[in-house]
């Protein structure tokens, strides 16, 4: 698997296919494989004539594991995406992020709009981006617990089970979680000036309301993924079809 360095931090990535580039940014405790390869996003996008690039966020997958929360701010992690684009000499791309990756993508849409052809915010609504209803200290404590049996908090159990399933470095994840608590204000969200699609499962109690976030971001489109929660929306056919339609209308 190819990798590059952003400063001292090694970032693993994949780069497949030909055509207009799309960059995929996975969620917390996930990886490029779990979020994008196994649910067939990479193959579907390639079939639709896209060059597909996906990275393992720092602290995740095959990328470097870091253990200080200060090494994981949203601007710092979004900077890894920009550094990857620079490494591959890609001036502009569509970017799709899921959950934490959606927060990174929203930050890029606000602060580096010239680098985004469009932004797809998956698994992130007003709760995860603005209100802070996503994973917090309850999940950090769940990751630090001796075992899943010791965790009683429902969201904590969900993410601990997911981290165990993906064989993640839980100490790196705790640092990441405690370092990525910076949220966006409503005014900042209203300042995002790129084409935006917000895609959230109808039973997702982690992301918060997609329509409420859509009401804040000018011109954004909202896609509800029926009967899917935060973990099960990722590979859903409605999500894929909606994203491909959205991309096809970008030109």
């Amino acid at each position: 698997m190819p990798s590059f360095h952003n400063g001292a931090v090694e970032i693993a990535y994949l780069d497949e296919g030909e055509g207009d580039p799309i960059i995929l940014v996975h969620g917390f405790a996930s990886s490029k494989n779990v979020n994008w390869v196994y649910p067939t996003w990479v193959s579907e996008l390639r079939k639709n004539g896209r060059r597909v690039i996906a990275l393992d966020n720092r602290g995740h997958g095959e990328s470097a594991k870091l253990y200080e929360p200060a090494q994981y701010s949203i601007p710092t992690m979004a900077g890894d995406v920009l550094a990857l684009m620079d490494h591959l000499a890609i001036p502009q791309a569509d970017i799709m992020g899921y959950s934490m990756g959606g927060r990174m993508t929203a930050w890029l849409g606000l602060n580096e709009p010239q680098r985004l052809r469009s932004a797809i915010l998956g698994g992130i609504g007003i709760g995860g981006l603005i209100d802070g209803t996503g994973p917090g200290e309850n999940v950090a404590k769940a990751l630090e617990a001796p075992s899943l049996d010791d965790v009683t908090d429902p969201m904590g159990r969900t993410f601990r089970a997911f981290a165990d399933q993906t064989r993640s470095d839980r100490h790196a994840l705790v640092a990441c979680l405690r370092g990525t608590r910076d949220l966006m204000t409503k005014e900042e969200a209203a300042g995002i000036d790129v084409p935006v699609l917000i895609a959230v499962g109808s039973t997702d109690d982690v992301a918060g309301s997609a329509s409420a976030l859509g009401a804040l971001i000018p011109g954004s489109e909202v896609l509800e993924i029926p009967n899917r929660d935060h973990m099960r929306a990722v590979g859903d056919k409605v999500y894929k079809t909606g994203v491909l339609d959205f991309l096809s209308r970008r030109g």
Side-chain angles (χ1 to χ4, degrees), residues 121-192:
L121 310 180
I124 194 84
I126 198 164
L129 189 66
I130 292 167
D131 295 338
T133 60
E137 190 61 22
N138 55 334
V139 173
K141 285 186 164 50
L143 292 167
E144 291 176 323
S147 75
L148 179 62
D149 292 338
D150 298 291
V151 181
T152 56
D153 177 79
M155 191 182 293
R157 281 187 65 84
T158 297
F159 278 92
R160 173 58 186 264
F162 186 57
D164 288 348
Q165 179 192 338
T166 55
R167 299 192 174 124
S168 298
D169 183 327
R170 290 186 287 110
H171 298 293
L173 291 185
V174 168
C176 176
L177 188 57
R178 289 180 172 147
T180 53
R181 290 189 170 158
D182 27 346
L183 298 168
M184 193 173 270
T185 67
K186 290 182 178 180
E187 292 73 25
E188 286 172 331
I192 296 174

